[in-house]
Amino acid sequence: MQDDLIARARTWLAEDPDPDTRDELAKLIEAGDVTELTARFSGTLQFGTAGLRGELGAGPLRMNRAVVIRAAAGLAAYLKKHGSKNGLVVIGYDARHKSEDFARDTAAVMTGAGLRAAVLPRPLPTPVLAFAIRHLGAAAGVEVTASHNPPRDNGYKVYLGDGSQIVPPADAEIAAEIAAIGSLNDVPRPDTGWETLDDSVLDAYLARTDAVLAENSPRTARTVYTAMHGVGKDTLLAAFERAGFPTPDLVAEQADPDPDFPTVAFPNPEEPGAMDLAFAKARETDPDLIIANDPDADRCAVAVKDDDGAWRMLRGDEVGALLAAHLVARGAQGTFAESIVSSSLLGRIAEKAGLPYEETLTGFKWIARVEGLRYGYEEALGYCVDPEGVRDKDGITAALLITELASELKEQNRTLPDLLDDLAVAHGLHATDQLSVRVEDLSVIAGAMQRLREHPPTALAGLPVTQAEDLTRGTDRLPPTDGLRYTLTGARVIVRPSGTEPKLKCYLEVVIPVATHADLPTARAEATALLNTIKQDLSTAAGI
């Protein structure tokens, strides 16, 4: 067994094109580090609907140039099998460790396979790549990014020619082509032959961002902005300048790309502590709102000042509802859509406005495919406000739209929290929360899901469970997915493993009827107590 492991590692070493990972692997082989070699060679990184994502390092269970070359060769084979004999593949990348290498390898493999390849000119936001696919008429797109994952990770996200991320069965078909790749030495990788794009694609994207704003709308709201050590700063500043908003005050410590993300434990605005520097800057400059992007700038976080003068992050569901209300007020037409883990408030807003509404599985790969989509959002800070331009979440255009809304409210001497209060009175207080458990051992997640399937709760926080659904069976409106949904009297709970991180995620929502603005403090206190008790009861039921 150990001899076989060492033999597989030596075979991999002989093909690895990267001197960094070859050196790393050679040392592990020389040291006879069976534990570490087993962790890297006991399978392969699985290509799924999120593409690839994992820790950087040598071996088939890590993100590295050898894994990326195989993935690119599999994608090329899939595209050629589906009629793209000399189609264009456009490639973008973020500023993480190895991202530029992975982008260049992908371009080389596509060129060697007889396809055309074009690489964005430098690290740019993921939505620029999603825009470029349709703008250039590409057959597919690749974005090298691990989004808001820890610094040691990287990833590989695949889009097809419609500009949205892959969904089944394309993911399984591409995975089969990857598995069929033999020796890396047989994958042609020329040194030249692809195009490095100039700024015209970025300029076209920025011109498109103007379309999300209403003509002659107020542009007065002042912002503090953090790029979270990612690639969003230059693009967002350019978009804000074009729109005529005041120049955002930057969180200088996080403004420029840094793959080590030195000021945050996790480069995700939702994580505790990630926004502390932005809050400090806001206390110094007193803006109307704080805007944050995640490192690849496809997500947008918003923070506001409460009545007591303290800054707080708005939940993704709150921003989702605010943007929806703003679009409705502007007379937007088309379907409003969200994933099943997002707040049901969007459905209430759409219904009152007489607009079509759809629920999808988690992920923008599903939301972007809704027919007639006008607006889509997901609670994890993802918003699609210009589906004709970018069929994916876009943290730049979302930032523009929320700042326009803040400007309109400012002209009326009102704030974003004031509008949230109005929505609560109109539709009921929709309070959401999340129980999120990060694990080292993925079997903990499988065990929790199994416990809940075998012994589903009959009540949570004293609220009876009126319907328990195992989503692996699918529903009349949703394809199968690994998840559980509990409908309670006045509440809803969804439990699912994260698709991109080693986390079990539980999404909670309670709805409290509200008669007047004066009733809001009592309703909020009731909602908070209910959510906390649901969390405790669910944690006990899942054994986590």
Side-chain angles (χ1 to χ4, degrees), residues 428-444:
L429 176 67
H430 290 62
T432 58
D433 203 351
Q434 199 179 115
L435 172 63
S436 183
V437 183
R438 185 181 291 273
V439 300
E440 292 293 326
D441 179 1
L442 290 175
S443 69
V444 173

Side-chain angles (χ1 to χ4, degrees), residues 450-492:
Q450 185 175 347
R451 271 188 291 279
L452 289 170
R453 286 192 168 102
E454 291 174 356
H455 305 287
T458 56
L460 295 168
L463 303 174
V465 175
T466 57
Q467 187 178 16
E469 299 168 275
D470 186 342
L471 299 176
T472 53
R473 303 188 181 110
T475 72
D476 56 346
R477 302 187 66 82
L478 297 170
T481 188
D482 186 8
L484 301 164
R485 178 164 60 181
Y486 304 115
T487 305
L488 301 90
T489 306
R492 182 217 66 200

Side-chain angles (χ1 to χ4, degrees), residues 329-346:
R330 277 183 23 191
Q333 295 295 310
T335 302
F336 279 31
E338 64 181 341
S339 64
I340 57 172
V341 299
S342 304
S343 171
S344 58
L345 177 55
L346 184 69

Side-chain angles (χ1 to χ4, degrees), residues 45-176:
L45 211 54
Q46 291 302 299
F47 186 93
T49 49
L52 294 168
R53 201 175 286 189
E55 188 177 344
L56 289 163
L61 274 171
R62 297 288 184 268
M63 280 297 294
N64 51 64
R65 290 182 59 199
V67 164
V68 164
I69 290 165
R70 286 182 182 279
L75 174 60
Y78 168 86
L79 291 172
K80 291 170 76 172
K81 194 172 281 187
H82 286 262
S84 297
K85 298 300 182 194
N86 61 349
L88 175 66
V89 179
V90 60
I91 302 150
Y93 59 100
D94 66 12
R96 284 176 178 265
H97 293 295
K98 297 289 182 183
S99 286
E100 188 171 0
D101 293 345
F102 295 168
R104 188 179 59 248
D105 282 332
T106 301
V109 171
M110 296 303 163
T111 303
L115 296 160
R116 292 179 295 128
V119 184
L120 292 182
R122 59 186 171 280
L124 286 166
T126 293
V128 176
L129 181 277
F131 167 83
I133 295 164
R134 297 177 73 211
H135 179 69
L136 298 173
V142 170
E143 176 71 17
V144 180
T145 181
S147 188
H148 56 277
N149 274 40
R152 64 180 183 273
D153 289 2
N154 213 328
Y156 197 80
K157 189 184 288 189
V158 176
Y159 299 74
L160 293 181
D162 63 355
S164 53
Q165 296 173 51
I166 54 169
V167 295
D171 56 341
E173 292 176 23
I174 295 169

Side-chain angles (χ1 to χ4, degrees), residues 144-430:
V144 180
T145 181
S147 188
H148 56 277
N149 274 40
R152 64 180 183 273
D153 289 2
N154 213 328
Y156 197 80
K157 189 184 288 189
V158 176
Y159 299 74
L160 293 181
D162 63 355
S164 53
Q165 296 173 51
I166 54 169
V167 295
D171 56 341
E173 292 176 23
I174 295 169
E177 296 291 350
I178 294 170
I181 302 298
S183 169
L184 282 194
N185 298 327
D186 298 332
V187 177
R189 284 185 292 128
D191 293 328
T192 59
W194 58 89
E195 179 185 2
T196 299
L197 295 165
D198 59 20
D199 275 354
S200 58
V201 168
L202 176 61
D203 292 342
Y205 167 81
L206 286 168
R208 180 82 206 181
T209 63
D210 300 347
V212 306
L213 302 174
E215 202 172 337
N216 301 320
S217 62
R219 312 279 167 93
T220 55
R222 292 175 50 250
T223 56
V224 158
Y225 172 70
T226 174
M228 207 66 67
H229 298 296
V231 299
K233 181 193 71 175
D234 291 346
T235 305
L236 182 128
L237 289 179
F240 269 57
E241 184 179 1
R242 288 179 65 101
F245 287 113
T247 302
D249 285 310
L250 300 180
V251 178
E253 302 94 325
Q254 300 174 334
D256 295 316
D258 187 331
D260 294 319
F261 305 103
T263 68
V264 289
F266 290 96
N268 178 354
E270 293 179 295
E271 293 283 349
M275 294 288 285
D276 286 356
L277 288 171
F279 291 156
K281 186 71 175 179
R283 287 191 291 270
E284 183 188 311
T285 60
D286 195 30
D288 297 297
L289 71 165
I290 298 172
I291 299 286
N293 286 138
D294 67 338
D296 69 327
D298 63 351
R299 297 168 196 250
C300 176
V302 180
V304 296
K305 188 156 66 170
D306 273 339
D307 292 338
D308 61 2
W311 285 90
R312 75 170 177 99
M313 271 271 290
L314 292 179
R315 291 191 169 277
D317 285 317
E318 291 177 305
V319 178
L322 288 168
L323 291 174
H326 184 42
L327 289 169
V328 165
R330 277 183 23 191
Q333 295 295 310
T335 302
F336 279 31
E338 64 181 341
S339 64
I340 57 172
V341 299
S342 304
S343 171
S344 58
L345 177 55
L346 184 69
R348 305 272 179 98
I349 292 170
E351 183 182 20
K352 189 167 184 179
L355 294 173
Y357 165 76
E358 288 287 339
E359 265 191 334
T360 74
L361 292 183
T362 310
F364 263 83
K365 58 185 177 281
W366 299 107
I367 294 170
R369 284 182 159 73
V370 167
E371 194 172 335
L373 181 68
R374 174 59 187 87
Y375 168 65
Y377 98 90
E378 188 155 69
E379 55 72 44
L381 311 182
Y383 314 95
C384 175
V385 301
D386 177 25
E388 287 305 305
V390 176
R391 290 194 180 175
D392 198 3
K393 53 187 178 290
D394 183 345
I396 306 295
T397 48
L400 287 170
L401 199 62
I402 198 72
T403 308
E404 178 186 59
L405 173 57
S407 299
E408 286 190 1
L409 291 166
K410 185 178 182 178
E411 301 290 297
Q412 304 161 23
N413 203 27
R414 302 179 75 232
T415 64
L416 295 173
D418 291 337
L419 181 52
L420 286 171
D421 288 351
D422 293 350
L423 292 173
V425 173
H427 304 287
L429 176 67
H430 290 62

